[in-house]
């Protein structure tokens, strides 16, 4: 099973060439049948090793193998999936903190999305107020 599009692979490789940067996760992989979520920020150009936040019961920052993710076989012939709707502008260090506080990546995603919606609402309301004053 192929988990990365060429565009996503190139973005991960570009991030991998910039070591020491607090990158924003590029992709999210998940187990559609239960526990297992991975947020990848970088791909090592010399191997299939991704770097990011993994959650198999407790969120941990580290490395994991793209080949191993692709080789996981689940019921009904399914495997680990790429979340094609995943988008974030939050750095991986903030994901780590949110996931540890919330207990999982999935719970952190709910918290971070709620904060983003709150910020978007606040910013749009501020703009409306400013427009009405003008």
């Amino acid at each position: 099973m192929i988990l990365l599009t060429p565009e996503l692979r190139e973005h991960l490789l570009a991030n991998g060439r910039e070591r020491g940067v607090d990158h924003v996760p590029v992709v999210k992989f998940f187990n559609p049948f239960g526990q297992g979520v991975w947020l990848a920020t970088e791909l090592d150009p010399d191997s299939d090793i991704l770097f990011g936040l993994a959650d198999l019961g407790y969120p941990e920052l580290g490395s994991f193998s793209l080949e191993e993710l692709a080789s996981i076989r689940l019921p009904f012939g399914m495997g680990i999936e790429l979340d094609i709707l995943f988008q974030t502008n939050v750095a991986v260090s903030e994901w780590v903190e949110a996931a540890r506080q919330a207990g999982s990546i999935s719970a952190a995603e709910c918290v971070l999305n709620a904060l983003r919606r709150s910020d978007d609402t606040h910013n749009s309301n501020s703009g409306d107020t400013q427009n009405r004053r003008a």
Side-chain angles (χ1 to χ4, degrees):
M1 167 178 272
I2 297 173
L3 290 175
L4 290 177
T5 65
E7 295 81 14
L8 292 173
R9 178 179 290 280
E10 186 51 45
H11 191 166
L12 288 163
L13 286 167
N15 284 357
R17 291 187 285 269
E18 290 185 73
R19 298 287 179 178
V21 175
D22 189 13
H23 292 290
V24 169
V26 175
V27 295
K28 175 186 171 187
F29 303 108
F30 67 97
N31 175 349
F33 287 101
Q35 216 168 32
V37 178
W38 299 262
L39 300 179
T41 60
E42 305 167 29
L43 176 61
D44 181 41
D46 299 323
S47 68
D48 76 328
I49 302 300
L50 294 159
F51 180 81
L53 182 61
D55 185 354
L56 297 171
Y58 182 80
E60 294 186 63
L61 192 62
S63 300
F64 44 94
S65 167
L66 180 60
E67 184 178 331
E68 284 183 24
L69 287 179
S71 71
I72 295 172
R73 295 291 156 240
L74 300 168
F76 309 110
M78 296 188 71
I80 300 302
E81 302 215 0
L82 172 67
D83 183 343
I84 60 172
L85 300 177
F86 177 74
Q87 293 181 335
T88 187
N89 60 358
V90 177
V92 73
S93 63
E94 293 178 55
W95 274 97
V96 169
E97 185 62 29
R100 288 185 177 156
Q101 286 182 5
S104 70
I105 290 174
S106 297
E109 189 168 19
C110 292
V111 170
L112 292 170
N113 284 337
L115 288 172
R116 188 185 74 218
R117 282 192 301 274
S118 174
D119 286 347
D120 290 348
T121 301
H122 175 73
N123 289 338
S124 69
N125 288 342
S126 295
D128 290 346
T129 302
Q130 289 173 355
N131 290 336
R132 283 191 294 253
R133 287 183 188 163

